[in-house]
Amino acid sequence: MQRKDLLTANAPIFKATGQALNQYADKNCKVIVVGNPANTNAMIASKFAPNIPRKNFSALTRLDENRAVGILAERLNIHCSNLKNFIIWGNHSATMVPDF
């Protein structure tokens, strides 16, 4: 599934989530978005939750990180737990870059 497909499916969900957060959540809450494309979905939710500071929104790409760690560990013939300091930069798309 490509980024545009994910956005088409998820944008309305994160719009509604942002609106609900804005109406019901404590204004000091922390919001963690995990639905891909995570950083774009976090931006959408924050746009529809103007009462919550944008700095309180974070996006996680744990699924992509886990996949990349698994692939690298398999290629190195080591266990995943032996890989440290691994991070994914970018969004859930062809522009994502693993860093280790």
Side-chain angles (χ1 to χ4, degrees):
M1 184 175 273
Q2 294 296 314
R3 178 183 166 87
K4 67 178 180 163
D5 301 321
L6 291 168
L7 279 173
T8 299
N10 288 338
I13 295 167
F14 285 93
K15 175 183 177 183
T17 299
Q19 291 169 329
L21 287 166
N22 199 59
Q23 185 174 355
Y24 300 110
D26 184 287
K27 303 314 172 204
N28 295 310
C29 73
K30 306 295 188 230
V31 181
I32 300 173
V33 175
V34 295
N36 285 320
N39 60 353
T40 304
N41 288 336
M43 185 272 306
I44 293 168
S46 71
K47 178 181 177 183
F48 289 96
N51 295 334
I52 299 172
R54 290 186 71 147
K55 68 179 182 176
N56 290 12
F57 285 80
S58 294
L60 300 178
T61 56
R62 188 64 199 204
L63 174 62
D64 298 317
E65 181 180 335
N66 287 349
R67 285 178 177 162
V69 166
I71 290 168
L72 184 58
E74 184 176 47
R75 289 184 182 171
L76 296 173
N77 198 29
I78 62 173
H79 192 271
C80 294
S81 64
N82 292 327
L83 287 172
K84 306 290 183 209
N85 301 321
F86 193 95
I87 190 169
I88 297 290
W89 298 102
N91 210 340
H92 182 79
S93 69
T95 61
M96 183 172 36
V97 178
D99 187 4
F100 50 92

